């Protein structure tokens, strides 16, 4: 029998539960409450009120960590925002009662601020019982000499004198076990010897499962003789546990019990008696659910290649055009996207020829509010090498669908998109990617960049090495992001082949960042050719000599840097790395290759 004593409506216990716990049920007068609002009936009527933050402890005053699974779910960190939970490190250690809590007896809030004495403050403060969940003033209780037990760990929490006098157990210590487990059966006393202790619940559960499996194996055997059924029932039911629910079927329903406990089945069903004094099980049982198919690993399954395209263009007269397909494709390469779309409407053969990926090296879908499924399928059919989705409303699901089907993609522009959609890069393989544009993406922190730069946590079957997602990227544009030195260290480790880096208008980039990029241990020191640091206001004249460490540097953009003087930039241009620079504009250094 399940014990739900604490989950009744308004704290009212059923007489059956009270008899099981060996306690007397409360008199009706104790259950009557004064009229009050619906918001205050819950805490005094047995329903535990949700406590609020104290806003004073160390956990309440700290900020979110950004790394736990609750922080990753928050929208401010790029998650979907479904859990609605606070950070694991910000869970309050001393939650207090809500300001709407009132006394069950007098209907008033806590009045401990109106007095000065300790005893008077205690008698006028609201106290919540951990057993019956009633919120009362200690001064409103009239229990004689009975005293309550105060919980020193949680404020305004105690075991009320009424529950202490009745001998109830605390929910904090054993309430979870009492509410989540069945009540143990008392030891079975026999006439020959003393009481036999009951086995453990885990062993009983295992034995019941074995016996039920043996009974279910005999379900199809409906044509067996009565002697066989009797022998089967005697052999399989003698060891059935006595705390098995009577008449419990496979689907969890309980049939009605008879007065004698041994009613004869109707409708031609045979009854099997599990034990000498046990219940009856009616056969056959309901149809067993079909077995679940094995769950296979999900991978991208692409359709087979299309049929070979015709090499010639058929004419209406029945003959073929003298120009072959290769010549037509060379003509089509001089047309733009609009002209190609017009050619696709001429005939079916031209429509198939115009889908050739050599005619679509770059596709521009920027500045579109939404992308429709026909547009996405058209992109996949053309297989472009460069795709521009900047400032579009592409979703994460759409971007993941595209990237899994564009394995030859070399340039991807996602500037101005939301991080919720850009986070699809963390789960999509891009082996041929050489240029990635992530400029002006909002709400990008170190945790999001770490998720993008680090290798995938789980490798797919057949993948032998764990490489970062940006190992082969040669040009990376991160303008306008909140990059820190920690993100730059990850960038140096997991993107060692960068030749062009755009860090313009990054507010946290300063002299230490330049030192990291040009350090002797940095792999970008020998590969960096183009560096854009325009608008980085933390750069000073002290960082300019550090750029001489990069021998292959050909373009350095320091425009709009407030703390950099034009004279220092001119001195760097005159000395420069091997060979001087020329300055077509102020603070823009170029070198002819």
């Amino acid at each position: 029998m399940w014990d739900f004593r604490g989950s009744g409506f308004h704290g009212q216990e059923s007489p059956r539960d009270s008899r099981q716990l060996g306690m007397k049920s409360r008199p009706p007068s104790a259950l009557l409450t004064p009229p009050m609002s619906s918001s205050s009936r819950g805490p005094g009527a047995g329903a535990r009120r949700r406590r609020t933050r104290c806003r004073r402890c160390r956990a309440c005053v700290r900020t979110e960590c950004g790394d736990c699974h609750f922080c990753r779910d928050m929208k401010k960190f790029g998650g979907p925002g479904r859990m609605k939970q606070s950070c694991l490190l910000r869970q309050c250690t001393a939650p207090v009662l809500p300001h709407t809590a009132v006394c069950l007896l007098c209907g008033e809030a806590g009045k401990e601020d109106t007095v000065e004495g300790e005893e008077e403050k205690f008698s006028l403060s609201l106290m919540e019982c951990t057993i019956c969940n009633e919120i009362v003033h200690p001064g409103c209780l009239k229990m004689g000499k009975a005293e309550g037990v105060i919980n020193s760990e949680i404020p305004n929490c105690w075991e009320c004198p009424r529950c202490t006098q009745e001998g109830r157990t605390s929910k904090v210590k054993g309430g979870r076990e009492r509410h989540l487990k069945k009540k143990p059966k008392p030891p079975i006393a026999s006439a020959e010897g003393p009481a036999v202790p009951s086995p453990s619940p885990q062993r009983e559960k295992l034995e019941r499962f074995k016996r039920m499996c043996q009974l279910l194996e005999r379900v199809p055997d409906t044509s067996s003789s009565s002697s066989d059924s009797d022998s089967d029932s005697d052999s399989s039911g003698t060891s059935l546990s006595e705390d098995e629910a009577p008449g419990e079927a496979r689907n969890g329903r309980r049939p009605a019990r008879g007065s004698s406990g041994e009613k004869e089945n109707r409708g031609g069903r045979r009854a099997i008696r599990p034990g000498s004094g046990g219940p009856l099980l009616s056969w056959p049982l309901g149809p067993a659910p079909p077995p679940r198919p094995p769950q296979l690993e999900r991978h991208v399954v692409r359709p087979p290649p299309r049929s070979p395209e015709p090499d010639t263009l058929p004419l209406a007269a029945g003959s073929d055009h003298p120009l072959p397909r290769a010549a037509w494709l060379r003509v089509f390469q001089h047309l733009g996207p609009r002209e190609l779309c017009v050619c696709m409407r001429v005939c079916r053969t031209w429509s198939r020829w115009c889908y050739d990926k050599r005619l679509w090296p770059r596709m521009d879908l920027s500045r579109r509010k939404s992308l429709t499924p026909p547009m996405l399928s058209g992109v996949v059919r053309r297989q472009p090498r460069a795709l521009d989705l900047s400032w579009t409303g592409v979703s994460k699901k759409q971007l993941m669908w595209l990237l899994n089907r564009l394995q030859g993609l070399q340039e991807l522009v996602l500037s101005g998109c939301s991080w919720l959609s850009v986070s699809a890069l963390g789960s999509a393989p891009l082996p041929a990617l050489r240029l990635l544009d992530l400029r002006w993406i909002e709400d990008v922190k170190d945790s999001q960049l770490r998720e993008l730069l680090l290798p995938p946590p789980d490798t797919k079957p057949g993948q032998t090495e764990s490489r970062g997602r940006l190992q082969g990227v040669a040009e990376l544009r991160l303008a306008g992001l909140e990059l820190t030195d920690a993100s730059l260290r990850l960038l140096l480790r997991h993107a060692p082949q960068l030749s062009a880096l755009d860090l313009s208008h990054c507010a946290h980039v300063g002299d230490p960042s330049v030192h990291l990029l040009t350090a002797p241990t940095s792999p970008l020191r020998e590969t960096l050719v183009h560096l854009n640091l325009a608008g980085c206001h933390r750069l000073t004249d002290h960082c300019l000599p550090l750029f001489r460490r990069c021998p292959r540097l050909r373009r350095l953009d320091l425009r709009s840097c407030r703390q950099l003087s034009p004279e220092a930039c001119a001195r760097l241009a005159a000395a420069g790395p091997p060979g001087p620079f020329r300055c077509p504009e102020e603070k823009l250094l170029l070198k002819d290759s």
Side-chain angles (χ1 to χ4, degrees), residues 33 51 99 200 219 233 238 300 341 346 356-357 444 465 494 512 525 558:
T33 58
R51 289 177 171 252
H99 65 279
S200 61
V219 171
S233 62
T238 52
V300 179
C341 293
V346 173
D356 195 294
K357 61 181 181 181
V444 177
E465 59 179 354
H494 298 286
R525 180 177 179 176
L558 300 175

Side-chain angles (χ1 to χ4, degrees), residues 299-312:
H299 299 292
V300 179
V301 180
R302 295 178 179 83
R306 299 173 60 88
S307 59
E309 298 176 352
D311 292 333
T312 58

Side-chain angles (χ1 to χ4, degrees), residues 261-300:
E262 295 184 0
K263 268 193 173 182
E264 193 171 345
N265 256 342
R266 299 178 182 178
R269 296 181 178 178
R270 61 189 181 96
I272 296 181
R273 185 187 181 96
S276 58
L280 294 176
L281 298 178
S282 58
W283 303 98
L285 296 175
R292 294 184 178 179
Q295 296 292 335
L296 302 178
E297 296 183 0
R298 297 183 178 181
H299 299 292
V300 179

Side-chain angles (χ1 to χ4, degrees), residues 52 55 102 115 124 215 232 281 312 326 350 426 459 517 525 543:
T52 59
R55 305 183 185 276
V102 295
V115 294
L124 295 179
L215 293 176
D232 291 342
L281 298 178
T312 58
W350 276 22
T459 58
L517 293 174
R525 180 177 179 176
C543 70

Side-chain angles (χ1 to χ4, degrees), residues 31 95 137 303 311 393 421 444 466 481:
L31 299 175
H137 292 132
D311 292 333
S421 59
V444 177
S466 178
L481 303 186

